């Protein structure tokens, strides 16, 4: 058994980012930039008005003065002439400030009658003018490589005139569920069988992190079948579930060992000091990394949060090295922990003194309904001492991950 | 000008959830259930072993005893016989406990030699047996209608034997950007023009909330063109941007008023006491709700967070009524506020005493780069008093929204 953090580091250090892909701006949301977005223009492209009003010479536009309106400058229609002494040009938000003008008299401070404009409140030089380049300047880096694009970023890239973005290709993850006892939902169930849930749950985990899960047909408990499916290739990472435990039926390692894939199977480690999820395989089949998760659905999902999500982040060029945690307050006394890092399924309830994390009464790793209704996982380090109710604990919030 | 919260309530009260749609389990992640998921089977379907070991009669399996192994019960292959006195059946995690056995002797506590099994540590009745229905029972509601499905939920629905899920149809949102001065990224830019960023940013906001944005062609500043595009129909909600301000160029209301759509345009309100984003239109074109956002990109995005995201949640049958906020600590002194609810673009930095929220030095609503680099929006209520640095403030965190 190796420590959880060591396992995660060994996994992450073996992962390489996917290559770049050019996608339309409209497909860029939530993707991770492989190249920075550099401004292709200056915004605003000229001094523009921040308000609806009149472009004036401040020296003329004093309280009580009367100006002559000589034209208009709506956004998109610059005024062709210039603003001379005693003159004003009607202007709207975003309109280019015509040459000669040095301030915007807002319409609330003037009274127009035909071409005559009475100034009811004077204006200072520079007022209500947005200077050229206030937002950004051509050539400046607006968004760095390695950034997951928000909706605001998409707007900024658009404003900077990018119809295309270069992002990391979505990691393609093969998902191979094994076991004589499992069948897909809706399919005929063998005697003594259960419905397979891991593959679809893992595909959803992968989708939540921006990857693409490909669900392979279920492999029976037969080394040859597992080896053939595992070797079918085309994935940036293969995730298996089931057949990883200590009994005679831990077939996955054996099957991978029999693979005819060039380079064969190289095991890095298996068995991690964690609960749920001790029997976890990490290795490489030819050039393809292989993560062997336990067949137990709760173990498989907790291991996916702890190891697969960081791996997916790394594959997309993100710096993440582990799931984000928050601090919470234990809602009950917590017993001391044994040698395995524990992940207690817990409710998270906001309260006056902070978020209260209370473990579910039963932590059996077969209870998927308990996991689904949990708000987060309380982390308990190996050999952590008993903690009284009210102590600060570290928690992985699950719902915010979409997991 | 109406208060922000009143505006949001008027918007939400006019929104109806979309109808149900049946999708494959694999497409269910992050969708919102329109019908509950009810267990179609009992899990586990029988008493099963929680460990690899031997199914025994506890009364016989005392320390020092020797048992006879009569068969095996791997997961998916129930043992056909029963466990008689002095007998044991090899069993693996998930295997059905054969009749006659009342405990699982884990393999670490026994020594097998051919068919003879020496018990090195005795076992109590019921030990390591997961009872039938421990996870869930047939007919029980596992996931309620109105729940946004996590990866764990997908696993649970699979385990409960659901190949299909009934979810709310994705809201389809038409997005109509208006303005003579704007052009799509990469398209030729008119003199004095700027690149259109709102439509794509809003489509990304809509995607982040599980909706489907349809970007209409840009409408010039011409009431007839705007009316024709707005009336093209097929949307659960139409969002316009631009042409909503106070000047002569606030064409959207005028254009909608000219629409030949049956039922015509009914304005509910426009102008909200908020900053950025005062000029906001809410009404109905025939049966279709219309949300008119300002053309200013920062105003449009802030209004989308404040009004469009809750509307999208409501359309998908979620109970959300406003953006989630967190508490933070002001990183600088905050001046008193005027009559408009303010949304200060701010950085959020975790620190010892909580998250420190510091507004960007410039809050000009034309600065998209400042918005993109902000971590959140500090909420300042109308007429909020000046606050010293270190005071508690309410913040909408943006990055967690994908916005």
């Amino acid at each position: 058994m190796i420590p959880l953090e060591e396992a995660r580091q060994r996994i992450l250090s073996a992962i390489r980012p996917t290559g770049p892909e050019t996608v339309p701006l409209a497909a860029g949301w939530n993707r991770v930039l492989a190249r920075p977005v550099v401004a292709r223009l200056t915004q605003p492209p000229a001094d523009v008005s921040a308000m609806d009003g009149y472009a004036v010479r401040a020296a003329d536009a004093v309280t009580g003065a009367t100006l002559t309106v000589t034209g208009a400058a709506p956004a998109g229609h610059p005024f062709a002439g210039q603003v001379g002494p005693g003159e004003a040009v009607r202007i709207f938000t975003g309109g280019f400030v015509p040459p000669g003008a040095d301030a915007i008299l807002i319409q609330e401070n003037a009274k127009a009658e035909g071409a005559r404009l009475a100034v009811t409140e004077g204006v200072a030089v520079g007022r209500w003018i947005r200077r050229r380049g206030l937002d950004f300047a051509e050539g400046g880096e607006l968004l760095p490589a390695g950034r997951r694009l928000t909706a605001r970023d998409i707007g900024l890239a658009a404003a900077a005139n990018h119809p295309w973005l270069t992002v990391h290709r979505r990691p393609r993850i093969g998902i191979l569920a094994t076991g004589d006892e499992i069948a897909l939902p809706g399919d005929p169930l063998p005697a003594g069988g259960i419905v397979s849930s891991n593959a679809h749950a893992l595909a959803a985990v992968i989708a939540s992190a921006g990857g693409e899960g490909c669900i392979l047909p279920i492999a029976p408990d037969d080394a040859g079948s597992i080896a053939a499916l595992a070797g079918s290739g085309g994935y940036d990472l293969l995730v298996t579930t089931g057949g990883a435990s200590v009994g005679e039926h831990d077939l996955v390692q054996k099957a991978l060992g029999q693979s005819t894939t060039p380079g064969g199977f190289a095991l890095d480690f298996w068995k991690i000091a964690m609960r749920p999820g001790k029997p976890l395989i990490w290795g490489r089949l030819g050039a393809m990394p292989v993560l062997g998760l336990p067949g137990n659905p709760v173990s498989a999902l907790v291991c996916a949060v702890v190891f697969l999500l960081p791996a997916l982040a790394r594959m997309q060029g993100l710096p993440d090295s582990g799931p984000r945690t928050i601090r919470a307050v234990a809602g009950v006394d917590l017993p001391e922990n044994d040698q395995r890092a524990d992940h207690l399924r817990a409710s998270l309830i906001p309260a006056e003194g902070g978020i209260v994390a209370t473990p579910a009464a039963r932590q059996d790793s077969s209870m998927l309904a308990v996991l689904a209704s949990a708000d987060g996982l309380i982390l308990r380090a190996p050999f952590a001492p008993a903690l009284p109710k009210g102590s600060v604990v570290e928690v992985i919030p699950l719902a915010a991950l979409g997991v």
Side-chain angles (χ1 to χ4, degrees), chain A:
Chain A
M1 293 208 298
I2 68 168
L4 185 153
E5 198 50 56
E6 182 189 333
R8 184 153 53 210
Q9 288 316 316
R10 277 160 79 162
I11 290 172
L12 288 177
S13 68
I15 293 283
R16 297 284 162 269
T18 59
E21 174 186 20
T22 298
V23 298
L25 175 74
W29 176 74
N30 212 29
R31 301 294 294 269
V32 181
L33 280 179
R35 295 193 188 160
V37 170
V38 172
R40 288 182 169 162
L41 43 74
T42 294
Q43 182 63 19
D47 291 357
V48 297
S49 177
M51 298 292 276
D52 292 344
Y54 299 86
V56 296
R57 294 168 176 251
D60 301 345
V62 294
T63 309
T66 301
L67 306 175
T68 306
V69 179
T70 59
H77 299 283
F79 180 67
Q82 61 168 34
V83 176
E87 292 179 349
V89 164
R90 184 79 170 111
I91 200 165
F92 299 90
T93 305
F96 285 13
V97 178
D102 59 12
I104 305 300
L105 177 69
I106 62 172
Q107 60 196 21
E108 290 82 350
N109 293 345
K111 217 166 182 168
E113 229 185 284
R116 290 174 56 85
L117 186 72
V119 179
T120 54
E121 194 176 326
V123 65
V125 170
R127 192 74 180 116
W128 300 119
I129 293 178
R130 287 182 179 139
R131 294 297 170 194
R132 176 173 194 276
L134 174 69
D135 198 355
F136 51 80
E138 186 177 343
E141 181 177 302
L142 298 177
L143 300 165
R147 179 173 172 98
R148 192 183 284 284
L149 292 163
T150 66
R152 293 170 289 154
D153 295 339
I154 295 298
L156 186 58
N161 208 21
H162 286 267
W164 308 98
L165 297 170
T166 301
V167 298
H168 284 278
R169 182 173 55 72
R170 285 190 195 284
R172 192 186 297 118
I173 315 296
I175 307 169
L176 177 60
T178 68
D180 284 348
E181 78 281 21
I182 57 173
L184 290 173
D187 271 359
L189 203 55
I194 60 169
V195 182
S196 169
S197 63
N198 281 352
H200 286 97
L202 290 169
V205 169
I206 291 162
S208 76
E212 195 185 311
C214 304
I215 296 174
L216 282 75
I218 292 172
D221 280 332
D222 163 77
S225 303
I226 296 172
L229 285 165
S232 63
Y235 304 110
D236 298 306
L237 167 69
L238 178 71
V239 175
T240 68
T241 88
S245 71
V246 203
E248 293 169 20
H249 291 265
D250 50 322
L251 277 167
V252 169
Q253 282 192 68
K254 191 177 143 198
L256 294 174
Q258 291 178 2
S259 169
T260 57
T261 299
F265 178 64
L267 179 71
D268 182 355
F269 64 82
W270 76 293
K271 277 197 187 176
I272 299 178
M274 69 180 284
R275 181 176 46 244
K278 183 171 68 168
L280 184 136
I281 297 168
W282 177 247
R284 194 171 280 278
L285 183 63
M288 177 178 66
V290 177
L291 177 66
L293 299 178
N296 178 304
V298 175
S299 303
L301 280 168
V302 170
C303 287
V305 168
V306 172
F307 301 111
L308 182 55
L309 287 182
L312 285 161
R314 183 63 63 96
M315 288 172 128
Q316 289 171 84
L318 289 167
D320 306 28
S321 58
R324 190 180 69 90
T325 59
I326 59 171
R327 281 171 160 211
V329 170
V332 295
D333 293 347
L334 297 175
E336 62 177 339
N337 192 21
D338 64 11
Q339 76 277 17
R340 289 158 70 187
D342 211 344
H343 301 76
L344 305 176
R345 280 68 80 195
S347 63
L348 301 177
I349 311 283
E352 205 39 55
I355 293 167
V356 176
T358 306
R362 294 199 67 166
Q363 294 285 329
D364 187 295
S365 68
S366 71
M367 294 170 78
L368 191 49
V370 168
L371 178 67
S373 65
D375 300 313
L377 301 171
I378 300 176
L379 300 183
R380 296 286 285 149
F383 305 112
L387 282 183
K389 175 179 171 172
S391 304
V392 171
V393 289
E394 204 181 352
V395 177
I396 301 174
L398 289 173
L401 299 171
V403 171

